[in-house]
């Protein structure tokens, strides 16, 4: 799992607090056999570690400390952040997941929404699922929904006044323990109208 956290100026104090709270919850609920990393971004990209690390108690504690250092500043380079995250996930038999926490308002680097969506899909060579978690009222839902849909994920949203714990708990329960993935259904002898 790679957590991609928007720390740009548009995240402000309240959105940043919600993003950090969501990240903390996810980190504290990783399974010990999971491997993870954190990428925080504004117009610059910063990594918690250069490669994925195992979700040991020590690494989780260090990641929680790293999370505390995040604060809102700068512009929003979503395209480069997603590119960096996708490069960190190897091709493997285990599921690769990106959890993308943002308000989804790109304004530096590639800012064309259509191209950002296309780039994410084209760069996703390791069958990574992207789950977007939008924060605030002014979220670019088109961008987040399409990135998630095109990359076999889902999106969810939290309003500034909403209790983030409930939303994140439900969101994380959906993705924490994948049971079945990439299902195929073959039907012969009839036309299917509804599934």
């Amino acid at each position: 799992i790679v957590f991609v956290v928007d720390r740009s100026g548009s995240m402000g104090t309240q959105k940043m607090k919600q993003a950090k709270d969501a990240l903390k919850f996810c980190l504290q609920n990783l399974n010990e056999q999971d491997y993870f990393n954190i990428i925080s971004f504004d117009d610059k990209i910063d990594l918690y570690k250069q490669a994925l690390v195992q979700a040991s108690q020590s690494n989780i504690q260090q990641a929680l400390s790293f999370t505390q250092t995040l604060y809102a500043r700068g512009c929003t380079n979503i395209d480069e952040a997603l590119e960096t995250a996708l490069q960190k996930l190897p091709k493997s038999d285990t599921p690769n997941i990106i959890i993308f926490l943002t308000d989804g308002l790109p304004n530096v680097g590639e800012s064309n929404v259509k191209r950002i969506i296309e780039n994410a899909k084209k760069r996703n060579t390791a069958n990574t699922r992207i789950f977007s978690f939008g924060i605030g009222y002014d979220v670019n839902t088109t961008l987040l929904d399409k990135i998630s849909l095109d990359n076999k994920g889902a999106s969810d949203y939290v309003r500034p006044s909403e209790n983030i714990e409930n939303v994140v708990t439900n969101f994380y329960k959906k993705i924490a323990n994948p049971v079945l993935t990439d299902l195929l259904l073959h039907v012969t002898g009839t036309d299917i109208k509804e599934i």
Side-chain angles (χ1 to χ4, degrees):
I1 298 175
V2 175
F3 300 97
V4 180
V5 185
D6 186 347
R7 61 158 192 239
S8 63
S10 65
M11 290 292 285
T13 305
Q14 181 60 28
K15 287 183 190 178
M16 195 71 242
K17 180 185 181 321
Q18 287 182 305
K20 287 163 73 169
D21 288 347
L23 179 55
K24 286 179 202 173
F25 177 87
C26 293
L27 289 169
Q28 291 167 337
N29 285 280
L30 287 170
N31 297 311
E32 194 170 329
Q33 67 271 20
D34 292 336
Y35 283 78
F36 76 98
N37 203 348
I38 303 168
I39 295 173
S40 63
F41 73 97
D42 46 37
D43 45 308
K44 297 181 184 88
I45 310 296
D46 289 317
L47 284 76
Y48 160 63
K49 298 284 185 183
Q50 289 304 309
L52 297 171
V53 294
Q54 188 172 5
S56 66
Q57 284 303 314
S58 171
N59 285 333
I60 290 172
Q61 287 307 312
Q62 289 176 25
L64 289 169
S65 296
F66 174 82
T67 301
Q68 286 302 112
T69 68
L70 302 177
Y71 63 93
R73 64 174 190 255
C75 298
T76 312
N77 192 340
I78 287 175
D79 190 60
E80 188 178 350
L82 288 174
E83 178 181 20
T84 303
L86 287 163
Q87 290 171 350
K88 295 295 175 189
L89 290 162
K91 289 183 180 178
S92 71
D93 294 335
T94 59
N96 285 328
I97 296 172
I98 290 174
I99 297 178
F100 184 37
L101 301 136
T102 183
D103 61 4
L105 300 171
N107 59 14
V108 71
E110 181 59 70
S111 58
N112 180 288
V113 169
K114 184 177 178 188
R115 280 198 291 272
I116 292 171
I117 292 165
E118 289 169 356
N119 288 344
K121 189 171 183 178
K122 179 177 66 181
R123 294 169 179 152
N124 188 354
T125 59
N127 198 28
T128 300
R129 297 175 187 279
I130 301 177
F131 294 88
S132 300
F133 192 77
I135 301 169
Y137 288 120
D138 53 348
V139 179
N140 188 330
T141 56
T142 302
L143 172 63
L144 299 186
D145 288 346
K146 189 71 171 139
I147 284 175
S148 293
L149 182 66
D150 285 357
N151 293 280
K152 301 179 185 177
S155 51
D156 211 337
Y157 300 91
V158 62
R159 294 182 298 278
S161 59
E162 197 168 359
N163 180 339
I164 193 159
E165 188 174 329
N166 294 336
V167 178
V168 174
T169 300
N170 292 333
F171 174 75
Y172 198 71
K173 280 180 184 175
K174 284 187 229 177
I175 65 169
N177 296 298
V179 179
L180 298 171
T181 61
D182 297 327
L183 299 178
L184 293 174
L185 175 65
H186 295 280
V187 178
T188 57
T190 186
D191 291 332
I192 298 297
K193 300 228 185 286
E194 293 182 27
I195 298 175

